[in-house]
Amino acid sequence: TLGDRIGRRRLLMIGATAFGLASVLAAFSTSAEMLIATRALLGVAGATLAPSTLSLIRSMFLDPQQRTIAISVWITSFSVGGAIGPLLGGLVLEFFWWGAVFLLAVPVMVVLLVLGPRLLPEYRDPDAGRPDLPSAALSLAAVLTVIFGLKQIAQDGVALLPALSITTGVVLGVVFVRRQRTLTDPFIDLTLFRTPAFSASLAAYGLGIFLVFGGFLFFPQYLQLVLGLSPFQAGLWTLPWALAFVVGSNITPMLVRWFRPAFVMATGLVLAAVGFGVFTQLDSSSGFGVIVTASAIFALGMAPVFTLTNDLIIGSAPPERAGAAAGLSETAAEFGGALGIAAFGSIGVAIYRGAMAGDVPAGVPVEAAQTARDTLGGAIEVAGQVPGQLGAALVDAARDAFMAGLHVAAGISAIGAIGIAVLV
């Protein structure tokens, strides 16, 4: 929305500058609090990048077929980044300190700042109003209070504080929506939701991201903490699903020439459900062939969904509101991702702690046992501090508890994918 007002390219340049600076600050953080704060800055700066580029695509490609191809390339760039990121991050962590992973973003932002003004056109809405800062504060408060409540329930169980927090978030969300209906220049243009294609696509995109973040939340932990891979090796085993996303994104424009987008997306979601279903069968002895097959099936199915929902979201909005539409697309993605991590993480932690409540082997010191009951990572750390057989028994129990959470999360994702297919 800000890009519609000040210029989409200008916002992209501002965001890239802020992202580069925040990356340096994150790399050299001297405390947990500083790291959290700089990560928040990275979130704010990073949130300008996708909507700016997506809305510029809407301005640059007016032909629907060209726009679909452009958005498939745009989605492909995320897939390539998803493939390169864990790999580079893992490689850097093999040789450098943890903060170095943040510095990987700096040269990318420098290239964008040099080439962006030369290659990208500028576009702004000549009739845009002023941004409404109270609405921004309301939306942020609504999201954070709901997620805080979910996290507290995962940590301490259902209690008064998290219930009040979630209720407060819902009330703030209602106030936010009502405020938008009274503003001359709303923070979120609710009239866009009157178009069924826009609303359904936005819902499918947000829910799809919810399932992706939730289902794959356990994947890196499984590779490193259950199978015992190094960060770099784990990064290598994320390549197949990222490459499958690239393939799926690039064949989508060809598929929609022959089939309706709704059927392409629904078929993809059913395929993704099959991939999630395979994840429910994983255990600590599963071969890498099973992992690669499941992740590739899932990625091939979700790629058309992400490509076509973004195409429909942008295509169904007027050109002058492309920034607002792209912002809503990114908001749906970030909100879906945040809720996915909070909800599935809460489910996984609750199942893990429930299973570990009576499974910590006798002989583990009380404080160490409490650490082991909190997380799988804690259990593995504790296992290294106790005698051999006792440590091995603790690791086995913790991994079994973790896998129970992973199976439930994958099962929910599979059922959810079928539900979204019906919606689409």
Side-chain angles (χ1 to χ4, degrees), residues 192-352:
L192 292 172
F193 289 91
R194 295 173 185 169
T195 306
F198 179 90
S199 299
S201 298
L202 194 68
Y205 185 46
L207 290 170
I209 294 286
F210 174 84
L211 297 181
V212 169
F213 272 65
F216 264 61
L217 174 65
F218 300 89
F219 192 51
Q221 298 177 70
Y222 171 77
L223 292 173
Q224 294 183 58
L225 300 180
V226 176
L227 299 185
L229 301 183
S230 70
F232 178 67
Q233 290 170 326
L236 282 174
W237 285 105
T238 63
L239 281 176
W241 76 264
L243 295 176
F245 251 113
V246 171
V247 173
S249 301
N250 283 284
I251 64 173
T252 298
M254 292 182 281
L255 291 174
V256 293
R257 292 176 188 172
W258 300 96
F259 307 101
R260 279 182 55 198
F263 290 118
V264 174
M265 287 189 281
T267 303
L269 285 159
V270 172
L271 194 61
V274 172
F276 280 125
V278 176
F279 274 125
T280 64
Q281 305 304 307
L282 290 180
D283 57 37
S284 56
S285 62
S286 295
F288 288 109
V290 178
I291 299 167
V292 170
T293 301
S295 60
I297 291 173
F298 151 80
L300 280 171
M302 292 304 295
V305 179
F306 292 166
T307 301
L308 294 174
T309 50
N310 275 287
D311 189 19
L312 289 166
I313 288 167
I314 293 299
S316 59
E320 68 275 7
R321 303 299 290 157
L328 283 170
S329 169
E330 179 72 358
T331 299
E334 297 296 342
F335 187 57
L339 277 183
I341 291 171
F344 283 85
S346 300
I347 291 168
V349 167
I351 292 173
Y352 176 86

Side-chain angles (χ1 to χ4, degrees), residues 10 179 345:
R10 177 181 292 180
R179 180 177 178 83

